[in-house]
Amino acid sequence: MARYNINDLFLEIAINENFEEKVKRLINDGIDINRFKEENLNFNPIMFASYRGWLHQVKFLVEHGADINLRNQNGENALMASCMDRPSFVTFELTEIDRKKLQYATKVLADEYKKYRKESIYLERREIMKYLIEKGINVTDLCESYGFINQASALDIYMLNPYMNDLSVIDLLMSSGVPLHNSPEELYSHSTAGTALSLTRKLNYYNRRKNK
């Protein structure tokens, strides 16, 4: 029986100190690298790393057996996770863990959240999307719901993210076959006064590119 559980893996991904060595130890001990964690948006490790914008961890997990095409109960996959705007408050339900290690992990996550609204944190997300697409992720997957929308693709989710405004991401997703599943009217129904400007800019670019 494995001495570690899925919480340990999430913790090591977050700490990012001697990441490779520690995760290899967990994998060798028999941990399921593809297991979903019911808390924290019901993500598995590859979705968690994609969501946080950690390209190095994403590549390492894939190289060691992470299945990029697994979907959670809502139908979300790692590509969708890399497009999301909701901050992730990660909890670790670990017993007998070293106090200093836990405090350090908490500090790392707090520091990451402070940077959350800065555009720079999203730069690696685009590279993650590109990497996942190159590795063959199912680009046409739809999740069951996203906010008030019944179904959504990765492109729909990106359109609704007011903090990611890199138009080259739209090029990447469109050229890779990711559909815009919802109409502009449906997307606007999910937006707010604070996000409508970003959505308008991205939809205008999408329409210009589509009509070329």
Side-chain angles (χ1 to χ4, degrees):
M1 183 177 179
R3 293 180 292 117
Y4 304 95
N5 59 38
I6 192 65
N7 294 293
D8 295 282
L9 183 53
F10 271 74
L11 181 62
E12 298 299 358
I13 293 172
I15 290 177
N16 193 25
E17 182 182 23
N18 299 322
F19 169 80
E20 298 92 337
E21 177 185 343
K22 293 177 179 179
V23 172
K24 281 180 182 178
R25 183 176 70 244
L26 293 175
I27 294 172
N28 291 336
D29 194 66
I31 196 168
D32 182 358
I33 199 172
N34 289 308
R35 182 178 171 186
F36 284 91
K37 183 167 165 43
E38 292 182 1
E39 302 83 6
N40 310 319
L41 306 179
N42 193 23
F43 280 1
N44 63 3
I46 189 68
M47 292 180 70
F48 175 48
S50 298
Y51 178 75
R52 298 301 299 184
W54 293 328
L55 178 62
H56 176 67
Q57 283 93 324
V58 168
K59 288 183 175 180
F60 185 86
L61 289 168
V62 171
E63 289 166 1
H64 288 80
D67 185 347
I68 60 175
N69 280 311
L70 288 181
R71 302 166 70 186
N72 64 14
Q73 292 177 342
N74 190 42
E76 296 160 344
N77 62 21
L79 182 61
M80 295 177 191
S82 68
C83 296
M84 292 179 181
D85 69 329
R86 295 176 302 215
S88 177
F89 294 99
V90 180
T91 58
F92 301 106
E93 300 154 357
L94 305 175
T95 59
E96 302 301 324
I97 189 171
D98 180 86
R99 183 176 297 275
K100 290 183 179 180
K101 186 176 182 181
L102 181 57
Q103 288 175 344
Y104 180 67
T106 303
K107 180 181 183 302
V108 169
L109 290 170
D111 290 344
E112 284 294 330
Y113 183 65
K114 287 178 183 177
K115 297 188 297 181
Y116 184 77
R117 292 175 182 270
K118 295 182 180 179
E119 189 71 23
S120 61
I121 197 172
Y122 295 108
L123 295 180
E124 282 201 349
R125 280 198 179 194
R126 184 187 185 283
E127 295 306 309
I128 289 172
M129 295 175 201
K130 183 179 179 181
Y131 176 77
L132 292 172
I133 291 168
E134 289 173 348
K135 287 295 180 180
I137 196 165
N138 293 328
V139 296
T140 58
D141 281 348
L142 300 176
C143 62
E144 292 300 318
S145 63
Y146 189 75
F148 299 107
I149 294 176
N150 288 331
Q151 288 187 315
S153 67
L155 184 53
D156 291 310
I157 293 170
Y158 183 77
M159 289 289 188
L160 292 169
N161 184 341
Y163 307 116
M164 290 184 73
N165 291 289
D166 182 355
L167 298 180
S168 69
V169 171
I170 297 175
D171 287 321
L172 172 65
L173 297 177
M174 290 180 70
S175 64
S176 302
V178 181
L180 187 68
H181 180 71
N182 289 274
S183 67
E185 291 76 19
E186 289 170 321
L187 292 174
Y188 276 117
S189 71
H190 180 75
S191 68
T192 64
T195 63
L197 182 61
S198 169
L199 176 58
T200 298
R201 179 171 178 261
K202 286 185 279 192
L203 282 174
N204 286 342
Y205 181 82
Y206 169 85
N207 287 326
R208 289 198 304 270
R209 190 184 185 284
K210 183 180 178 181
N211 295 327
K212 279 186 177 180

